[in-house]
Amino acid sequence: LVNSNVSVVIIGAGPAGLTLALQLNKAGIDCIVLEKHTRQYIETRTRAGVIEQNSLDVFEKLGVADRMKREGLRHNGIYLSFEGVRHHIDFGKYLNDKAITIYGQQEVIKDLVHACLDRNVALEFEASVTGILDIDGATLKVFFERDGVSQAMNCNFVAGCDGFHGVSRSAAPISTCHVYEKEYPFNWLGILADVPPSSPELIYAFHKNGFALHSMRSPSISRFYLQVADNEDLSNWSDQRIWEELALRLQAENFQLKIGFIKDKSLTPVRSFMIDHMQFGNLFLAGDAAHIVPPTGGKGLNLAVADAVTLYQGLFDYFHKGIKSTLLSYSSRRLASVWRVQEFSDFMTNLFHLSSPIDSFEHRLQKARFTYITTSEAASKSIAENYVGI
Ligand code: APR
Ligand code: PHB
């Protein structure tokens, strides 16, 4: 067992952990990032790809946004579609120069990992955290395993940035908290295809067969999602069936779906998860470790980055000014914003997914909501404001 000391141990090299590490490093606060997977694994795993203006600003301040700004696709709007009727939400019209950047999460990870290594941030791959001891006391310790060897680190604070299935949440006294969960009765089937986008901007579509989303990664790579049953088996979805279903669900006047080689197919669960605390003594949860939003608003990565910024502010005040109150208010400052995003993500999910029969009361409500959005500037503006990020 090797013992050493560091101010902050960060568990997990996702957007939350890496953003926090780069901020602490810039402020001269020592930290170590422990990541259980290999660098190759985290840099190639296909995830979401919507970067809000706020997140881009954070990355820019950290000096890691050059490639994102060069290669990312800047979008000034999105399309909403309901049973073949398209409505454009123009961000620029309502929010001046605010926009979103389409750039895969694994590309973000590559840029952040590169910056960490370049700046000598301690970043350990294949270091799997197994436990956290004494979150309330003076002998806070993180246990991890590397190359089959058990090691421990002493630290002042632990940032649990290890995603929904990580270990840090289980070190917290969750039984004393209020946990809020919502399971949606469907999954997303996501594909990545070698084909130019068929639309200049994202399309969120409701169809009587279920939801479809057209996204993209570059001028030659497209990303699509289809609502499927929650017990769905990928083997039921041949490439041909996927393209047929996408063409059907995204159908609109003057729209032609381009098809190409599917190079990645996966299922994403659709669920919400919240706890009423994000800090437990000297353990702080950030990103997916603390909350999950349904993917319909493209918000997961952005919440992770926003958590990291607020947590960093607390740690900065503690280490550089000797003030602990900022850190102590981390949870309350984040929870209000996360709930706002939960509400928007739930709204988008309910608006576009099929969960009741066609012509049921619920379906007519969805239709009425969509009609309101297409006819009301206020409703369109509200969507623009939430989508770009409050
Ligand atoms: N020890 C060390 N690392 C761990 C452990 C552990 N025991 N358990 C999990 N990890 C690592 C995972 O391998 C992963 O790389 O923690 C990291 C968590 O990263 P993310 O899941 O990307 O979580 P987060 O940084 O909160 O970002 C949330 O990711 O899931 C998407 O849609 C979500 O965009 C959102 C974003
Ligand atoms: C994606 O591009 O992967 C994406 C876009 C928007 C979403 C979810 C995922 O709401």
Side-chain angles (χ1 to χ4, degrees):
L1 208 67
V2 182
N3 268 313
S4 37
N5 291 289
V6 66
S7 298
V8 184
V9 170
I10 299 171
I11 309 176
L18 293 170
T19 304
L20 179 62
L22 287 168
Q23 293 176 103
L24 292 174
N25 172 263
K26 194 172 167 189
I29 300 167
D30 66 317
C31 65
I32 184 169
V33 184
L34 302 173
E35 165 58 50
K36 81 169 174 189
H37 286 296
T38 61
R39 179 177 181 184
Q40 145 101 19
Y41 178 87
I42 64 166
E43 289 185 349
T44 51
R45 169 169 61 163
T46 307
R47 312 286 277 275
V50 178
I51 318 279
E52 284 181 357
Q53 187 68 52
N54 294 330
S55 305
L56 186 72
D57 294 345
V58 171
F59 292 139
E60 216 170 344
K61 261 200 196 151
L62 283 170
V64 293
D66 290 354
R67 193 165 71 95
M68 206 174 291
K69 281 173 30 194
R70 209 169 50 236
E71 294 175 18
L73 308 168
R74 198 169 165 84
H75 285 185
N76 289 304
I78 49 171
Y79 290 98
L80 307 182
S81 178
F82 201 91
E83 295 172 343
V85 177
R86 283 269 171 90
H87 175 64
H88 188 239
I89 302 277
D90 183 343
F91 304 149
K93 182 167 160 192
Y94 306 116
L95 308 166
N96 298 323
D97 55 353
K98 276 191 163 188
I100 53 163
T101 303
I102 308 300
Y103 188 69
Q105 184 169 315
Q106 76 270 35
E107 302 306 317
V108 175
I109 296 296
K110 280 180 201 161
D111 297 343
L112 300 182
V113 166
H114 182 270
C116 280
L117 298 176
D118 200 45
R119 297 170 195 184
N120 292 319
V121 174
L123 170 51
E124 303 290 334
F125 294 103
E126 294 177 87
S128 187
V129 172
T130 50
I132 306 167
L133 197 73
D134 200 20
I135 57 172
D136 293 311
T139 56
L140 183 60
K141 240 186 187 46
V142 176
F143 294 92
F144 63 103
E145 257 178 47
R146 251 196 84 168
D147 301 325
V149 181
S150 295
Q151 308 190 43
M153 298 280 302
N154 298 309
C155 56
N156 299 84
F157 301 105
V158 174
C161 305
D162 48 349
F164 189 60
H165 301 286
V167 293
S168 49
R169 204 172 57 251
S170 54
I174 296 292
S175 57
T176 63
C177 299
H178 196 153
V179 172
Y180 308 82
E181 281 176 283
K182 181 168 174 178
E183 290 287 336
Y184 298 82
F186 39 74
N187 276 338
W188 277 19
L189 187 166
I191 64 157
L192 198 62
D194 281 326
V195 63
S198 306
S199 164
E201 289 168 353
L202 271 59
I203 308 169
Y204 288 83
F206 173 92
H207 181 270
K208 66 178 174 48
N209 288 9
F211 168 74
L213 169 61
H214 181 356
S215 182
M216 60 276 301
R217 286 294 176 266
S218 74
S220 59
I221 301 175
S222 299
R223 178 113 176 106
F224 296 93
Y225 298 93
L226 286 168
Q227 174 187 352
V228 295
D230 58 0
N231 53 357
E232 193 62 75
D233 205 316
L234 267 186
S235 63
N236 292 332
W237 287 85
S238 66
D239 292 7
Q240 193 192 344
R241 181 175 177 205
I242 290 172
W243 288 122
E244 280 171 9
E245 204 56 36
L246 284 170
L248 198 65
R249 296 190 195 182
L250 292 167
Q251 191 188 320
E253 213 181 321
N254 298 323
F255 177 75
Q256 185 69 47
L257 180 71
K258 297 188 186 98
I259 66 174
F261 174 69
I262 298 179
K263 54 182 180 181
D264 189 84
K265 239 186 241 186
S266 62
L267 290 170
T268 307
V270 182
R271 63 177 168 233
S272 298
F273 176 90
M274 285 292 275
I275 346 171
D276 61 356
H277 287 86
M278 292 170 63
Q279 62 192 91
F280 303 88
N282 296 318
L283 166 67
F284 297 81
L285 303 181
D288 280 8
H291 41 68
I292 295 285
V293 292
T296 325
K299 295 297 183 192
L301 179 151
N302 300 291
L303 282 178
V305 170
D307 286 353
V309 169
T310 302
L311 181 50
Y312 159 72
Q313 288 163 349
L315 291 167
F316 180 91
D317 282 2
Y318 178 82
F319 284 108
H320 285 314
K321 299 186 192 160
I323 297 170
K324 200 163 184 188
S325 55
T326 319
L327 197 52
L328 291 175
S329 65
Y330 168 69
S331 211
S332 55
R333 287 163 72 203
R334 284 308 300 148
L335 283 171
S337 307
V338 182
W339 273 115
R340 174 71 228 118
V341 172
Q342 281 287 3
E343 196 285 327
F344 177 66
S345 305
D346 182 70
F347 164 82
M348 289 287 282
T349 305
N350 292 333
L351 180 60
F352 290 109
H353 288 75
L354 181 77
S355 56
S356 313
I358 295 299
D359 233 20
S360 61
F361 181 76
E362 187 55 40
H363 170 239
R364 295 310 291 255
L365 284 184
Q366 285 174 292
K367 215 169 170 152
R369 264 176 222 134
F370 182 79
T371 306
Y372 173 55
I373 293 162
T374 61
T375 52
S376 159
E377 287 279 325
S380 290
K381 183 174 180 180
S382 168
I383 290 184
E385 175 186 53
N386 280 278
Y387 199 89
V388 167
I390 292 181

